[in-house]
Amino acid sequence: MTPQSIPAGATTGPQQVDIDLADRSYPILIGTGLLDANTSYAGLPRAATALIVTNTTVAPLYAQRLQAALAGRYERVHTVELPDGESFKTWETLNRIFDELLSHACDRKTVLFALGGGVVGDMTGFAASSYMRGVPFVQVPTTLLAQVDSSVGGKTAINHPLGKNMIGAFYQPLRVICDLDTLKTLPARELSAGLAEVIKYGPIADMAFFEWIESHLDELLMQESHAMAYAVRRSCEIKAWVVGQDERESGLRAILNFGHTFGHAIEAGLGYGQWLHGEAVGCGLVMAARLSEALGLVDAAFVERLTSLVRRAGLPVVAPVLDAADNSNRYLSLMRVDKKAEAGEIKFVLIDGPGLATVRSAPDALVAKVIDASCIPA
Ligand code: NAD
Ligand code: GLY
């Protein structure tokens, strides 16, 4: 059982979850008003320059406020606005960050600030990992998905047309600053996408949290502040607990990919950006639960319970057809490029009883059956 700090609903005040990684340890700050608060940035290394990396949607909403908050700490604060969307998580866009760093003669002490969702966060982290062989960076996530998952744990990457997040590095931020107020401008579809990553933590690690989500889902969809604060904090606690034990995914960390093997196939197969990452993961959770049932690990009631929660969160539970002529083989070939695959054998994160994940392979024929069943409305 993962450790828990404060009971659900106890506070919306500032909270901190620590991620324990020896000399790469850092705090995740969670609360309201954090973007403008000096205390959020206290203790960060001093440097002549800082670069805010954001995108064309988030910049008009929050870049000026971050710029103002950083002005007292850095002599020059530059901002680069990337094009918005998963389809821009590419080498070309990454290069825009390097162009900016070099054109402003940014040195090794320059601190990068990722202001945005997971796409901006993953690309900024990758840029930070490689610019001058590594410069410090801070995550300022502004989507639910980024606050509960992508900004925490140091996975950074860009996509390749043949596979999702295939090129990247493990590189930890100095700090994660989750200002819950920024979620207020999030479109409903993006909020639902973030809920997919919140829901995933239940079946893999904490069924009490899963039950809590079931009973507080309406509040989360309405962004009730106590509920949001708890969902972000509990998700970060579970993620910090997992990453603290297995930073580079030699074992345990793979459980965080529950739903992602199917989900990544959906994203790559449809073309990046057609379905949101969280939508593909939501549907992937249902598919992975069905595969767990097909292998005799969980019962049909568990699959129905998870499916119902994913559906209530506003996420798709019917998988898309990726190839009208040979659908299950298209899924299988995309999943063979998954990072967990070994020698072409696909590894799935499955549920071995509620609250307990396992990583296993499964016969292709059984996986194909699950895919076929998942592409048809129940
Ligand atoms: P995203 O970054 O594309 O953001 C979603 C949309 O919301 C974008 O249009 C963005 O501009 C907009 N947006 C962001 N903040 C906003 C705000 N406060 N108000 C209004 N609009 C706002 O998508 P995402 O769901 O945040 O992240 C998905 C990405 O994260 C994927 O690329 C996925 O692979 C990655 N990811 C990484 C990890 C990891 O561990 N590194 C984990 C999970 C997901
Ligand atoms: N989102 C999966 C991981 O961080 O490992």
Side-chain angles (χ1 to χ4, degrees):
M1 174 64 179
T2 51
Q4 181 160 26
S5 50
I6 317 167
T11 178
T12 54
Q15 300 173 56
Q16 181 170 325
V17 174
D18 292 313
I19 183 153
D20 187 3
L21 290 169
D23 61 343
R24 294 176 313 291
S25 299
Y26 54 93
I28 305 159
L29 310 182
I30 303 164
T32 55
L34 296 186
L35 190 61
D36 309 297
N38 275 331
T39 47
S40 304
Y41 310 94
L44 288 175
R46 296 275 177 185
T49 46
L51 178 70
I52 299 170
V53 182
T54 184
N55 72 22
T56 49
T57 304
V58 178
L61 296 169
Y62 302 113
Q64 247 176 12
R65 284 170 55 193
L66 181 57
Q67 178 111 21
L70 298 179
R73 298 195 70 79
Y74 305 96
E75 285 160 40
R76 293 180 301 283
V77 182
H78 304 289
T79 300
V80 56
E81 287 181 28
L82 306 178
D84 183 7
E86 186 73 40
S87 60
F88 294 103
K89 200 176 172 188
T90 59
W91 279 118
E92 291 71 26
T93 315
L94 184 72
N95 218 24
R96 293 270 302 271
I97 306 176
F98 298 129
D99 290 346
E100 204 71 22
L101 286 163
L102 287 164
S103 65
H104 293 296
C106 291
D107 61 22
R108 280 203 150 136
K109 296 207 158 160
T110 301
V111 184
L112 269 57
F113 288 81
L115 175 70
V119 171
V120 162
D122 280 13
M123 280 197 292
T124 308
F126 190 24
S129 76
S130 50
Y131 183 67
M132 294 196 175
R133 303 199 178 92
V135 293
F137 87 111
V138 173
Q139 290 272 16
V140 189
T142 62
T143 63
L144 179 61
L145 188 141
Q147 295 193 355
V148 300
D149 191 353
S150 65
S151 65
V152 174
K155 276 190 183 175
T156 76
I158 55 169
N159 297 329
H160 186 281
L162 295 180
K164 170 99 178 129
N165 291 337
M166 278 294 153
I167 299 147
F170 286 99
Y171 194 68
Q172 300 296 341
L174 294 176
R175 184 170 300 179
V176 180
I177 302 168
C178 299
D179 186 334
L180 300 167
D181 289 335
T182 61
L183 303 181
K184 301 273 188 243
T185 52
L186 211 54
R189 189 177 166 199
E190 297 292 349
L191 185 72
S192 290
L195 287 172
E197 302 279 18
V198 178
I199 292 170
K200 89 171 170 196
Y201 290 115
I204 61 169
D206 184 356
M207 281 308 280
F209 183 45
F210 188 78
E211 268 172 46
W212 179 89
I213 302 166
E214 286 179 314
S215 42
H216 291 80
L217 187 68
D218 295 339
E219 290 152 63
L220 292 171
L221 288 167
M222 287 185 301
Q223 293 220 32
E224 192 281 321
S225 50
H226 285 91
M228 286 304 276
Y230 181 66
V232 173
R233 196 191 76 230
R234 186 65 191 138
S235 300
C236 288
E237 281 174 352
I238 296 171
K239 182 145 187 188
W241 176 78
V242 171
V243 173
Q245 295 173 75
D246 181 22
E247 181 184 9
R248 290 182 164 246
E249 201 168 307
S250 46
L252 177 71
R253 185 167 178 168
I255 69 171
L256 297 172
N257 281 312
F258 178 42
H260 287 60
T261 310
F262 289 105
H264 285 171
I266 292 173
E267 285 189 270
L270 288 178
Y272 299 115
Q274 293 304 306
W275 277 30
L276 301 180
H277 174 71
E279 292 172 334
V281 167
C283 190
L285 297 178
V286 172
M287 296 171 87
R290 283 183 168 170
L291 184 57
S292 308
E293 183 195 357
L295 287 162
L297 301 174
V298 289
D299 59 18
F302 172 79
V303 178
E304 186 40 46
R305 191 175 163 194
L306 177 60
T307 307
S308 157
L309 186 59
V310 170
R311 190 188 290 114
R312 278 179 60 211
L315 294 160
V317 295
V318 178
V321 173
L322 300 181
D323 182 335
D326 200 3
N327 190 45
S328 54
N329 275 325
R330 176 75 179 130
Y331 267 91
L332 284 163
S333 68
L334 284 163
M335 291 193 293
R336 278 188 235 288
V337 190
D338 186 79
K339 287 189 286 311
K340 289 183 298 306
E342 285 170 21
E345 187 178 62
I346 308 165
K347 303 278 183 194
F348 295 93
V349 181
L350 301 170
I351 301 304
D352 195 2
L356 189 66
T358 181
V359 181
R360 290 178 43 168
S361 55
D364 279 2
L366 197 66
V367 179
K369 245 173 129 172
V370 167
I371 293 165
D372 290 343
S374 300
C375 292
I376 301 164

